[in-house]
Amino acid sequence: MPVPIRKESETPVHRNIAKIAKLKVGSQDFGLDKDKGPGVGQPKHNTFVGEVCLSAGAYVSRRMINEIPPQSTGDWSDRGTTIPGWNVVVYPQPGDVIAYNGVPAVVTSHNTSVTVVDGVVRETNWGFRLGHENAVVRRFMPKTIQVNIVGPKRVRFSQRSGETITCG
């Protein structure tokens, strides 16, 4: 069953992520033989996704781009791993990162994503295929802080990432 795309929270950054990913289709800059990201001989899925997101104005830590897999590559696919600025969501939209089995891709349209396949950036259905029902979808959501007064002289600060600090 296709996963519905919801666009109501799409922003210019999300549109740019999807647009930049599509512009890179056909690029061979992310092959195993290239010395970028984690280096020669290493998969560059994270490097591709990270460079696209950074180019669009969405923060991705250098560790997510440069570290040798599988640790950082698996982070996108692990619902339990916090990636600063990237929240796990249910319904993918263009500009989200969808990851399955350690391979991240950029959602570009309904049931379509862009990732590195055999060293070439390709538009594919990665994350939407039959069997990928457990793919993890993450959306860039810049940090905002919510302040709640929870009692006399007690204040709770919450970030969108879910981190909560109570003072007082």
Side-chain angles (χ1 to χ4, degrees), residues 37-82:
V40 175
Q42 296 296 324
K44 314 261 184 324
H45 303 103
N46 270 8
T47 305
F48 166 72
V49 169
E51 284 186 12
V52 165
C53 293
L54 286 171
S55 295
Y59 173 78
V60 177
S61 76
R62 282 280 161 216
R63 185 184 79 78
M64 293 296 295
I65 298 170
N66 295 328
E67 192 168 288
I68 295 175
Q71 181 184 357
S72 59
T73 300
D75 288 352
W76 288 109
S77 307
D78 182 1
R79 278 183 175 76
T81 298
T82 298

Side-chain angles (χ1 to χ4, degrees), residues 34-158:
K34 305 298 182 190
D35 188 24
K36 65 173 9 184
V40 175
Q42 296 296 324
K44 314 261 184 324
H45 303 103
N46 270 8
T47 305
F48 166 72
V49 169
E51 284 186 12
V52 165
C53 293
L54 286 171
S55 295
Y59 173 78
V60 177
S61 76
R62 282 280 161 216
R63 185 184 79 78
M64 293 296 295
I65 298 170
N66 295 328
E67 192 168 288
I68 295 175
Q71 181 184 357
S72 59
T73 300
D75 288 352
W76 288 109
S77 307
D78 182 1
R79 278 183 175 76
T81 298
T82 298
I83 299 176
W86 291 86
N87 291 1
V88 174
V89 296
V90 176
Y91 298 104
Q93 69 181 23
D96 289 346
V97 173
I98 190 165
Y100 179 77
N101 202 27
V103 177
V106 175
V107 176
T108 53
S109 63
H110 184 71
N111 290 341
T112 306
S113 61
V114 175
T115 192
V116 179
V117 179
D118 296 328
V120 179
V121 177
R122 299 186 194 274
E123 193 163 39
T124 181
N125 61 348
W126 187 258
F128 297 101
R129 297 176 183 173
L130 184 62
H132 288 200
E133 291 82 10
N134 291 325
V136 175
V137 181
R138 293 180 185 268
R139 181 166 303 139
F140 179 67
M141 297 181 178
K143 287 184 179 179
T144 57
I145 297 178
Q146 178 181 356
V147 179
N148 296 319
I149 307 299
V150 293
K153 299 183 182 181
R154 291 189 61 195
V155 178
R156 179 174 295 146
F157 298 92
S158 302

Side-chain angles (χ1 to χ4, degrees), residues 17-37:
I17 292 170
K19 184 186 297 184
I20 291 168
K22 286 183 103 167
L23 289 172
K24 292 191 177 283
V25 169
S27 170
Q28 296 181 6
D29 293 344
F30 300 91
L32 292 175
D33 60 330
K34 305 298 182 190
D35 188 24
K36 65 173 9 184

